Amino acid sequence: DADVTQTPRNRITKTGKRIMLECSQTKGHDRMYWYRQDPGLGLRLIYYSFDVKDINKGEISDGYSVSRQAQAKFSLSLESAIPNQTALYFCATSASGTFAYEQYFGPGTRLTVT
Amino acid sequence: SQQGEEDPQALSIQEGENATMNCSYKTSINNLQWYRQNSGRGLVHLILIRSNEREKHSGRLRVTLDTSKKSSSLLITASRAADTASYFCATETSGSRLTFGEGTQLTVNP
C-alpha cells in the first residue's frame, strides 16, 4: 500500500461549492503539507502542519482551510470553490528535525472547478 | 519570483547522452533537494545536498552545490527513455519549509 494516499483522485465541482480533499499517511511523520501545482509550474505551499496542534499558512492560503485530525490525517478544504482553484493538489509528509528533510508525496488530486 | 529557478525550462536529448539541469536560488539555504515528477504524478525525492557539501552522487545522478554562486546542478549520466520527466529543485527556506522551482522538463528520445 502507498505510504501517502489522497482522496479523491479526481474531482469536478461547481463554483461556490465546498469541497474537502483528504490525505492519510502511514509513514509516522509529524510534518504534513498541502501544495498546489498549476500547469507548467512548480509547487506552491498552501498550508503545513508540524504536529497535530500546529497549523501554519503557506504562501497561497487565501480561499483554503485545513484540519489536522490526527498525526496521520490532514485535510484541505475549499470553502467556496472558484475556477482559478482548478489545479493539481498534492499532500506531502516529512520527518521532524532542525532542518527540512525529504518530503514524500501523495499521488495528487486533480480538481476542476467549473 | 521563485527562490529556486531551474534552467533550462526544457531539455531534449538522445538516449545515452548526459543531461544537465541547473538551479539558482536567492537566499542562504540549509540544504537543497532535487525531485522528479512523472507526468501528473506525485514528486519523488532524488537527492539532498547540505550547504556544507559540494558534490553528491547517487547511482547515475550527480549533484553539485556552489553556495558562493547560489547555484546547483543535477547531472544524469547515460540517460534512458525512462528518465523522461520533470525535475525540480527545492530549497529550504525559513521555518524548515521547501520552496520549489518551476522545473526542467527532460525528454529522452529512444
Side-chain angles (χ1 to χ4, degrees):
Chain A
D1 288 343
D3 294 322
V4 183
T5 57
Q6 294 183 232
T7 55
R9 293 294 312 280
N10 290 282
R11 180 73 182 266
I12 300 173
T13 192
K14 294 185 183 299
T15 297
K17 294 291 188 181
R18 184 178 189 274
I19 183 169
M20 179 181 288
L21 308 182
E22 298 185 334
C23 176
S24 295
Q25 53 111 347
T26 59
K27 297 197 71 67
H29 288 161
D30 285 326
R31 297 182 176 183
M32 298 187 74
Y33 311 81
W34 275 105
Y35 295 92
R36 71 175 273 174
Q37 184 179 34
D38 295 279
L41 299 179
L43 277 68
R44 291 183 290 168
L45 183 63
I46 306 172
Y47 272 95
Y48 62 102
S49 170
F50 280 0
D51 64 44
V52 174
K53 295 182 180 180
D54 176 73
I55 299 290
N56 303 282
K57 293 182 177 180
E59 60 180 306
I60 54 163
S61 59
D62 287 349
Y64 301 94
S65 63
V66 291
S67 172
R68 184 82 184 265
Q69 300 95 326
Q71 185 204 39
K73 296 185 182 296
F74 193 35
S75 300
L76 175 72
S77 293
L78 286 67
E79 298 302 325
S80 179
I82 56 177
N84 76 0
Q85 290 177 315
T86 292
L88 192 52
Y89 289 84
F90 289 104
C91 173
T93 74
S94 73
S96 297
T98 305
F99 304 120
Y101 293 96
E102 63 180 286
Q103 294 188 7
Y104 295 83
F105 284 79
T109 293
R110 188 170 298 280
L111 176 66
T112 302
V113 183
T114 62
Chain B
S1 62
Q2 293 283 337
Q3 158 76 335
E5 296 185 358
E6 288 91 343
D7 170 58
Q9 288 187 321
L11 179 62
S12 181
I13 60 174
Q14 296 299 122
E15 224 171 13
E17 295 179 340
N18 294 342
T20 300
M21 289 158 270
N22 303 296
C23 171
S24 60
Y25 57 91
K26 294 181 171 60
T27 63
S28 296
I29 60 171
N30 291 313
N31 68 58
L32 185 145
Q33 304 180 30
W34 285 91
Y35 288 79
R36 166 196 169 123
Q37 182 184 32
N38 287 77
S39 182
R41 295 177 179 265
L43 278 70
V44 175
H45 181 265
L46 295 176
I47 199 163
L48 181 154
I49 187 165
R50 302 197 186 282
S51 59
N52 61 353
E53 297 176 308
R54 292 295 166 259
E55 187 170 313
K56 206 162 182 180
H57 296 252
S58 176
R60 292 184 297 112
L61 305 181
R62 186 185 82 145
V63 169
T64 61
L65 179 65
D66 187 335
T67 54
S68 67
K69 295 181 179 178
K70 292 186 170 58
S71 67
S72 173
S73 67
L74 170 67
L75 168 68
I76 304 174
T77 60
S79 63
R80 306 166 182 169
D83 293 328
T84 293
S86 292
Y87 293 82
F88 295 89
C89 70
T91 52
E92 183 194 343
T93 55
S94 61
S96 300
R97 296 169 295 167
L98 292 180
T99 299
F100 288 82
E102 297 184 355
T104 292
Q105 172 60 51
L106 173 66
T107 302
V108 182
N109 302 298

